[in-house]
Amino acid sequence: MKRISYITCLGLLLLTATSCEKWLDINKDPDNILNAPISLQLSSMTVSTGFAAGSDLNRYTSLISQQYSGQSTGGETQTQQYEKYQISPTDANNAFSLLFATILNTAENIIKASGTESPHYSGVAKLLKAYVYQISVDTWGDLPYDEAQQTSANLNPAYDDDKEIYTKLLSLLDEGIAEVNAATSAQSPGTNSQIYSGTFSTSKDKWVKFANTLKLRLLLHYSEVDPAFATQQINALVNSGAQFFEGNADNFQVNFLAEQGRQNPIHQFEVSRAGYLVANNTIVSMMNKKSDPRRSTYFTEYPAGSGQYLGAVGGSPASQNYSKFHTYFRGAQSGSSYTGQAPMRMLTFAEYNFIRAEAALRFGSPGNAEEFFKAGIRASMSDAGVAASVIDDYIKANGTLAGSNAEKLKQIIEEKFVANFGIAVEPWTDWRRTGYPAISVPANAIYPNTPRSLFYPQSEDDNNRSFPGQKPNLDVRIFWDTRK
């Protein structure tokens, strides 16, 4: 949590630095960096993106979608409140600030500072901007877009329609791809990027694959409101020969280190708030029914050494007698400790395959739905460290799509739900789109319905004169959420 505060402060420092140009020379500190290099700004932005995907939004949406359960050893914790839908406007302040005041403003800084001389940097910044807006729109709906990221030039940005933002994100991704593919660039990202780190000649294709795969995610969501448009766009994209994720090495993720303050944010929360989160019964029971081998890296055994796994049901009496998060989030284990050196996954090769499976099933998009379904399972299990022979056995038992299209879709989304364990927002989005997996309102919920979006942050109501007003309740839907 301290790391998040540090990154936010660093980001705000970078964003305000350029406003000092008109000051008198006597006010300039020669040791102060007034215009931070875009390489430093990208380092901050990529790390911040990983933290944003693993902190507040991760907890809120994973509790709502019942991958996590809030627990305690004493009085009621915040995670217990969130699980019963007690998520207030003030709870969204930090997440919104990290996304907009830090990450998106830094993206705009990089885009402007890159100019036409360094398109590789501006291209990467645009791709990251598209991802951050995608998860933000899917959380809140309408948001500032056209007038956003103007710092002091416009402190009261108007809100744009969420459907229109989605359309603009598709164009933004095209711009980013073109710039990433530019033949020349004065500067190019390298090891300073914590996503696809390395020489740009080797990482460039990964950025392009990420952009096209993110397009598929956006279009799949869009299909709920305009299936004809989404079908045409998905099929055209696939048939264009565009590059998509080809293996787990292409996963869009931030790799964290086994150093205090530089560890996976979910692990850091576990250390600082021990016992606040445990595995939820919804995901654990789904996996228990299939003897899913990913359980041994996702969760700790309960009871210890039993080979069994137990998840908590929301609203049940608080207890620590449940399976906790394990090496998949927390890194290698030594005794009772973990290294924290686990990646923060945000969009994976496994998800790509499940997207293609759903598109083939529902829209007749290129490819075989069952083959993509199996490939998604295989990619997820491989990423979780499951042996190939064990994966083969699981696919033999569970890899056949059967029944009606609705039943096949249920299979796809439920396997995707398990594969997307801990990925911010998307499992909640899939439930809102499809109704799968089936989740029940916790017995102690303060609200009768599972939330369809979150309240806007109180900071927007307090500080933005163009704020359109707070939502009346958590039933307000994102534009693509058309399921009855």
Side-chain angles (χ1 to χ4, degrees):
M1 303 300 287
K2 292 179 181 177
R3 176 66 173 171
I4 294 174
S5 298
Y6 169 77
I7 290 173
T8 302
C9 292
L10 173 61
L12 291 173
L13 174 63
L14 295 175
L15 297 171
T16 56
T18 55
S19 67
C20 303
E21 292 177 356
K22 296 183 180 179
W23 289 6
L24 295 175
D25 289 345
I26 58 173
N27 288 326
K28 291 184 179 179
D29 179 354
D31 296 322
N32 186 29
I33 301 175
L34 297 181
N35 292 288
I38 54 177
S39 58
L40 177 59
Q41 293 189 58
L42 184 64
S43 295
S44 175
M45 184 181 180
T46 50
V47 173
S48 295
T49 300
F51 270 93
S55 51
D56 289 356
L57 279 192
N58 186 295
R59 289 189 291 278
Y60 300 154
T61 60
S62 296
L63 285 161
I64 291 171
S65 62
Q66 298 182 357
Q67 292 189 332
Y68 307 168
S69 179
Q71 294 296 316
S72 71
T73 56
E76 186 175 70
T77 64
Q78 283 184 317
T79 54
Q80 289 173 287
Q81 293 172 357
Y82 301 154
E83 187 172 22
K84 66 180 185 181
Y85 311 150
Q86 190 175 333
I87 306 174
S88 70
T90 56
D91 288 321
N93 285 348
N94 286 341
F96 198 85
S97 176
L98 180 58
L99 293 166
F100 280 79
T102 301
I103 303 173
L104 290 175
N105 276 356
T106 304
E108 199 64 25
N109 261 16
I110 295 172
I111 293 167
K112 291 177 180 177
S114 299
T116 59
E117 293 79 20
S118 297
H120 292 168
Y121 264 97
S122 59
V124 165
K126 288 179 179 180
L127 301 186
L128 290 169
K129 177 180 177 178
Y131 166 75
V132 171
Y133 260 107
Q134 178 256 307
I135 62 172
S136 299
V137 168
D138 291 350
T139 299
W140 287 291
D142 296 349
L143 288 169
Y145 187 84
D146 287 344
E147 296 182 5
Q149 288 84 57
Q150 296 181 23
T151 60
S152 60
N154 187 351
L155 298 176
N156 302 285
Y159 275 56
D160 294 90
D161 178 76
D162 51 359
K163 184 178 179 181
E164 292 180 4
I165 294 174
Y166 249 56
T167 303
K168 293 173 182 178
L169 294 182
L170 293 170
S171 298
L172 183 66
L173 287 167
D174 285 335
E175 292 176 21
I177 291 171
E179 291 174 14
V180 164
N181 278 326
T184 61
S185 185
Q187 297 184 65
S188 301
T191 55
N192 59 301
S193 172
Q194 300 307 305
I195 303 172
Y196 303 140
S197 181
T199 59
F200 198 68
S201 60
T202 58
S203 65
K204 179 180 74 171
D205 285 351
K206 293 184 183 295
W207 284 109
V208 173
K209 292 175 186 177
F210 158 66
N212 285 321
T213 303
L214 182 58
K215 276 190 193 180
L216 289 179
R217 180 194 267 186
L218 286 160
L219 290 168
L220 190 67
H221 298 174
Y222 204 98
S223 70
E224 304 303 330
V225 69
D226 192 343
F229 170 80
T231 300
Q232 186 274 327
Q233 291 289 309
I234 290 172
N235 293 350
L237 181 60
V238 172
N239 289 327
S240 71
Q243 294 175 283
F244 300 104
F245 287 166
E246 297 179 87
N248 289 332
D250 294 329
N251 286 354
F252 178 66
Q253 61 187 37
V254 174
N255 295 311
F256 288 91
L257 304 177
E259 300 174 16
Q260 188 172 2
R262 304 179 72 183
Q263 298 158 310
N264 180 292
I266 298 176
H267 165 78
Q268 290 196 52
F269 185 84
E270 284 291 279
V271 171
S272 63
R273 302 288 189 272
Y276 277 33
L277 291 171
V278 302
N280 193 292
N281 179 68
T282 295
I283 189 169
V284 174
S285 63
M286 287 173 59
M287 297 176 77
N288 281 342
K289 289 176 182 177
K290 298 179 180 180
S291 298
D292 194 312
R294 287 168 287 192
R295 292 175 301 170
S296 63
T297 55
Y298 280 14
F299 316 119
T300 59
E301 296 176 359
Y302 187 82
S306 66
Q308 303 297 311
Y309 303 89
L310 181 64
V313 175
S316 59
S319 171
Q320 291 298 293
N321 297 327
Y322 298 107
S323 294
K324 310 281 197 311
F325 298 158
H326 200 29
T327 55
Y328 191 73
F329 289 161
R330 307 196 61 188
Q333 183 182 27
S334 177
S336 59
S337 300
Y338 296 86
T339 65
Q341 191 176 11
M344 191 64 243
R345 302 165 179 88
M346 297 175 284
L347 179 60
T348 66
F349 178 54
E351 183 183 334
Y352 160 73
N353 280 288
F354 289 120
I355 291 172
R356 292 294 301 272
E358 182 178 346
L361 175 71
R362 295 179 59 198
F363 313 128
S365 298
N368 181 277
E370 185 169 287
E371 291 306 310
F372 280 119
F373 176 64
K374 291 177 179 177
I377 295 171
R378 187 173 297 279
S380 172
M381 289 197 170
S382 178
D383 192 35
V386 179
S389 60
V390 178
I391 298 174
D392 291 341
D393 290 341
Y394 182 92
I395 290 177
K396 184 177 180 180
N398 303 286
T400 301
L401 294 176
S404 65
N405 277 1
E407 290 169 325
K408 291 176 181 178
L409 179 62
K410 179 176 182 288
Q411 286 180 263
I412 291 170
I413 299 300
E414 288 185 349
E415 280 289 351
K416 184 182 178 186
F417 178 78
V418 173
N420 273 357
F421 180 50
I423 289 184
V425 186
E426 196 63 16
W428 181 36
T429 293
D430 281 337
W431 175 82
R432 288 177 288 173
R433 288 193 310 113
T434 70
Y436 303 126
I439 58 177
S440 301
V441 175
N444 64 341
I446 65 168
Y447 195 71
N449 305 314
T450 302
R452 312 302 282 239
S453 67
L454 295 187
F455 286 122
Y456 287 113
Q458 185 62 40
S459 57
E460 280 292 281
D461 197 359
D462 293 341
N463 302 318
N464 185 352
R465 291 195 297 271
S466 297
F467 180 60
Q470 188 56 265
K471 300 172 184 177
N473 52 51
L474 300 180
D475 281 336
V476 177
R477 299 183 178 215
I478 312 304
F479 79 95
W480 44 252
D481 185 355
T482 61
R483 180 177 61 86
K484 294 182 179 180

